[in-house]
Amino acid sequence: MHCKDQISHKDYQRSVDWLQSKTQHRPKVAIICGSGLGMLADTLQCQESFKYSDIPGFPQSTVQGHIGRLVFGELKGKTCVCMQGRFHMYEGHSIYKVTFPVRVFKLLGVETLIVTNAAGSIAESYHCGDVMIIRDHINFPGLAGLNPLNGPNDDKFGPRFPPMSGVYDKDLRKLAFDICKRMGVTQFVQEGVYCMVGGPNFESIAEARLLHKLGVDAVGMSTAPEVLVASHCGMRVFGLSLITNKVVKSYEDSETTNHETILEVSKMRSEMLQKLITEIIIHMDINNNQA
Ligand SMILES: O=P(O)(O)O[C@@H]1C[C@H](O)[C@@H](CO)O1
Ligand SMILES: Nc1nc2[nH]cnc2c(=O)[nH]1
């Protein structure tokens, strides 16, 4: 990966101009839907959707369970934009392309980014079907130097050396937990640390044990780059991981992980997740429709 792949302000703006010429919606909230979690977009009212292949600069989704559309609409009167399918580095996209939509959202006027993903549990106490409110992340590709902020800094977006502490908004995390209490679902709600690895392979047992020692609660192949770029440009961030499988940590265990099971579990919890995200959006402070 070279900085030559870096994307210019002009390229983000081209995408923004195209979208703004096609829709009157001016979203304040963007939602990135993880594997199998794209159904939330279907609940938006006054919908207008655009295939990634039609939007200038957008890459294509290639993963099963990621439809590949940007959907604008209203959730109980709040204007949102939903990514039905995200981009992963293992698909062959550069890290700049993976995070491209986030800067487009910023230029569209989005202030809050909600990210969701499917993840495997590392924490012993987690179960399949649990929902983890992300408190913090470990960005393995980032620690190894694969960072969407590599290259000349674009000061129009944010500072050269952005902090990464407290990135997952405390108030939104509390709001989410309070809503879970009201929904009566706290028995399968957790709060923990998400770790991004490169994928596309799932973890070896030794890797899973390493992640456990490092304090990781759930592991997946996405999210950290988008969150990093959102935080760099001053967006408020909230994240949820749906625990779709337990990561094998014992040589005695013959279970293996596969993408089909991940999609099945996502389906099982999709309604609850939709409700939770809808309630969060309804109850959070949004300076709506003042773009
Ligand atoms: O987009 P997310 O992070 O939800 O996708 C997860 C991680 C891998 O891309 C894939 C593995 O099944 O699902
Ligand atoms: N790396 C990784 N990504 C996942 N996405 C969903 N489950 C998993 C998992 O067990 N490991």
Side-chain angles (χ1 to χ4, degrees), residues 90-123:
Y90 64 73
E91 294 174 78
H93 301 304
S94 76
I95 188 121
Y96 306 110
K97 280 283 185 189
V98 166
T99 54
F100 179 85
V102 178
R103 285 186 165 176
V104 169
F105 295 153
K106 175 70 184 176
L107 296 177
L108 283 172
V110 167
E111 293 169 352
T112 305
L113 179 71
I114 297 180
V115 285
T116 67
N117 58 58
S121 69
I122 296 286

Side-chain angles (χ1 to χ4, degrees), residues 29-83:
V29 181
I31 305 147
I32 302 181
C33 301
S35 285
L37 299 170
M39 290 74 77
L40 177 76
D42 299 332
T43 67
L44 295 183
Q45 279 139 12
C46 311
Q47 262 187 44
E48 283 177 302
S49 64
F50 306 99
K51 282 193 282 184
Y52 293 158
S53 53
D54 291 336
I55 310 172
F58 258 64
Q60 306 309 306
S61 277
T62 65
V63 187
Q64 198 199 345
H66 292 255
I67 296 172
R69 287 194 317 171
L70 202 57
V71 185
F72 290 75
E74 292 189 4
L75 216 46
K76 309 275 178 196
K78 310 248 169 128
T79 312
C80 303
V81 55
C82 229
M83 276 181 79

